[in-house]
């Protein structure tokens, strides 16, 4: 069978778009399959009210094209979902990417044909294509999790999932609403739903930490300044563990006198955003240090929330930053509204969804609309929804039965010529996704060019390299507090999912260095044939 493409890319979010551009630039024939009707990936699906990036827009943007970087005008400190979607569309148009993207088409199967050294890819539209390389750009938070609460189908009103929101939008005016979940999607949408609805009931299983965004329109003078110094800012960001250009305080929280510690927290609280976790360098390493930050935030909740019982229920008990920290606009204040009720479901799971609401501890709560802000089967869910088969017909679902195994979060043994953009085992969700995506795209693009220059048609990670990398990912995770709590980082939100800390937490700079060293050593850890 002859090859249809050099590369098939799955997904037209920020990863897939740049991958296509990069491969085209190198003269490869590539095709993207995208399930949605348009580009944007995560930002195409997550249209819930208040959806917004928690990394500042001037940093959560591509840097591969200096022209693009200069011409695009971000309007707010944190871009809204519509603005991010406009950006993705602008990129697709500017680089004329759409002609190689097939929309409304889901890849359902991919099997490695050993004789042809190529992947046979099948879609839900019945199309079958042969490609030398298969590159997944399916997102880390793209497979919505609908919990198996009994009675979900009995609910008579509309049910919405934040990760798959109706494109025409939803107006809750005059409605009563129930929201399940208090993760980032809930924390962003609850203040807005509360302003529309006649009554909102929030069902909280685990109280969550959030810090104020202090979002604002971007001042043209500030934007001008950023653009004048973009390369330096991007360079600095690459030296940061998170890939975000923050001011990091290298001091230890616990060794800093209390007054100074509070001053540091307050300064970052007033500035707003994820940089709060950079107040001290040991917040994720030392339980006692972490508690100082957690206590500070809990104190803020008690200051804001007027009803002491509600404040106590909202105050998280666990480690701050263990689950991903949220960034909000008016979340705690929302619970002072007379039309908002908080229901704690931490000790008793939701018993069932009923025709008119839901039941907890034998008590019925009634509402017109149900919002599931219940997150995602993160990092592996989207890829495992595809029936991927490598050498000898081995299925990826079997290979990853006890948790994902990869080399560098980019490749896997037994699955030659398959690359995963921001796959498990790479820094991905622990970093600013855009630079992490770009680093992966460029590594893959360079790799394909290298193979072509050598006349090689197959690249595969060796079992030893994969195992060693798995060890490094696990070791790095074990050194921080992040692996100690139940979060989607460890798959704890999906019943039956193996508990493995999936992203690489050793930091963006260490990871970049590692990927570059592999290349310099002639693709160490890979077999090229
Ligand atoms: P998250 O952060 O996974 O949040 C999901 C929320 O839904 C969380 O509060 C869960 O409680 C709750 N949940 C899930 N299942 C249930 C059931 N069965 N009963 C009650 N509550 C439930 O997803 P998001 O979409 O908010 O955010 C994902 C990421 O996107 C976020 O981290 C940012 O990086 C952007 P739990 O905490 O598991 O007890």
């Amino acid at each position: 069978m002859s090859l249809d493409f050099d590369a098939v890319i799955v997904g037209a979010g920020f990863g897939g778009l740049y991958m296509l551009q990069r491969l085209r630039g190198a003269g490869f024939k590539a095709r993207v399959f995208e399930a949605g009707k348009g580009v944007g990936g995560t930002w195409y699906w997550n249209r819930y009210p208040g959806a917004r990036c928690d990394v500042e827009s001037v940093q959560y943007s591509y840097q591969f094209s200096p022209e693009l970087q200069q011409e695009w005008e971000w309007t707010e400190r944190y871009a809204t979902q519509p603005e991010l979607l406009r950006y993705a569309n602008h990129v697709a148009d500017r680089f004329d990417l759409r002609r190689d993207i097939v929309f409304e088409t889901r890849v359902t199967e991919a099997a490695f044909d050993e004789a042809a050294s190529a992947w046979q890819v099948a879609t839900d539209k019945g199309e079958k294509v042969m490609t030398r390389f298969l590159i997944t750009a399916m997102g880390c938070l793209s497979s919505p999790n609908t919990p198996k609460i009994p009675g979900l189908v009995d609910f008579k009103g509309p049910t919405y999932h934040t990760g798959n929101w109706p494109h025409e939008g939803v107006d809750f005016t005059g409605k009563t609403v129930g929201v399940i979940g208090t993760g980032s999607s809930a924390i962003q949408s609850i203040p807005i739903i509360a302003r529309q609805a006649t009554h909102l009931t929030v069902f909280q299983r685990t109280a969550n930490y959030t810090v104020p965004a202090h979002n604002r329109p971007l001042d043209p003078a500030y934007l001008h300044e950023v653009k004048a110094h973009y390369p330096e800012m991007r360079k600095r960001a690459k030296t940061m563990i998170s890939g975000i250009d923050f001011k990091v305080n290298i001091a230890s929280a616990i060794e800093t006198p209390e007054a100074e510690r509070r001053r540091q927290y307050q300064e970052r609280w007033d500035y707003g955003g994820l940089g709060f976790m950079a107040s001290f360098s040991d917040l994720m390493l030392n339980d006692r240090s972490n508690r100082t930050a957690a206590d500070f935030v809990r104190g803020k909740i008690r200051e804001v929330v007027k009803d002491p019982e509600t404040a106590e229920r909202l105050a998280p008990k666990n480690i701050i930053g263990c689950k991903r920290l949220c960034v909000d606009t008016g979340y705690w204040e929302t619970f002072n509204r007379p039309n908002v009720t908080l229901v704690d479901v931490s000790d008793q799971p939701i018993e069932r969804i009923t025709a008119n609401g839901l039941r907890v501890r034998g008590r019925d709560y009634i509402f017109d609309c149900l919002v599931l802000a219940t997150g995602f089967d993160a990092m592996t869910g989207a890829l495992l929804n595809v029936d991927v088969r490598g050498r000898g017909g081995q299925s990826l679902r079997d290979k990853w039965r006890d948790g994902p195994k990869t080399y560098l979060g980019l490749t896997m043994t037994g699955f030659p010529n398959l690359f995963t953009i921001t796959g498990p085992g790479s820094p991905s969700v622990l970093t600013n996704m855009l630079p992490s995506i770009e680093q992966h795209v460029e590594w893959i693009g360079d790799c394909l060019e290298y193979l072509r220059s050598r006349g090689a048609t197959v690249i595969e990670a060796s079992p030893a390299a994969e195992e060693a990398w798995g060890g490094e990912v696990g070791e790095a995770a074990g050194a921080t507090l992040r692996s100690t709590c139940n979060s989607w980082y460890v798959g704890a939100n999906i019943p039956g999912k193996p508990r493995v800390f999936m992203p690489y937490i050793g930091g963006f700079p260490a990871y970049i260095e590692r990927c570059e060293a592999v290349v310099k050593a002639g693709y160490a850890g890979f077999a090229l044939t």
Side-chain angles (χ1 to χ4, degrees), residues 46 48 54 141 145 147-149 161-162 180-187 203-206 208 323-326 345 350 373-376 429 486 488-489 492-493:
N46 283 266
Y48 60 83
D54 58 11
L141 295 158
N145 165 43
K148 293 188 175 52
I149 303 172
H161 194 295
T162 47
I180 300 179
T182 48
S184 181
S185 304
I187 283 175
F203 298 91
Q204 170 187 277
R205 187 165 68 182
T206 311
N208 220 334
K323 282 180 194 261
R324 187 182 168 104
L325 185 65
C326 301
V345 296
I350 294 167
T374 47
F376 302 89
V429 289
N486 287 337
W488 55 257
Y489 294 129
N493 61 329

Side-chain angles (χ1 to χ4, degrees), residues 110-114 119 387-397 399 412-416 418 460:
F112 188 67
D113 179 329
E114 293 184 56
W119 283 91
D387 185 8
V388 181
R389 289 182 185 264
R391 273 193 203 284
Q394 188 196 11
S395 98
L396 187 60
R397 289 173 195 150
K399 180 179 167 83
M412 306 144 218
T413 310
F415 295 76
L418 169 64
E460 184 177 357

Side-chain angles (χ1 to χ4, degrees), residues 196-209:
Q196 291 176 359
T198 50
H199 195 90
L200 168 64
T201 311
V202 176
F203 298 91
Q204 170 187 277
R205 187 165 68 182
T206 311
N208 220 334
Y209 292 96

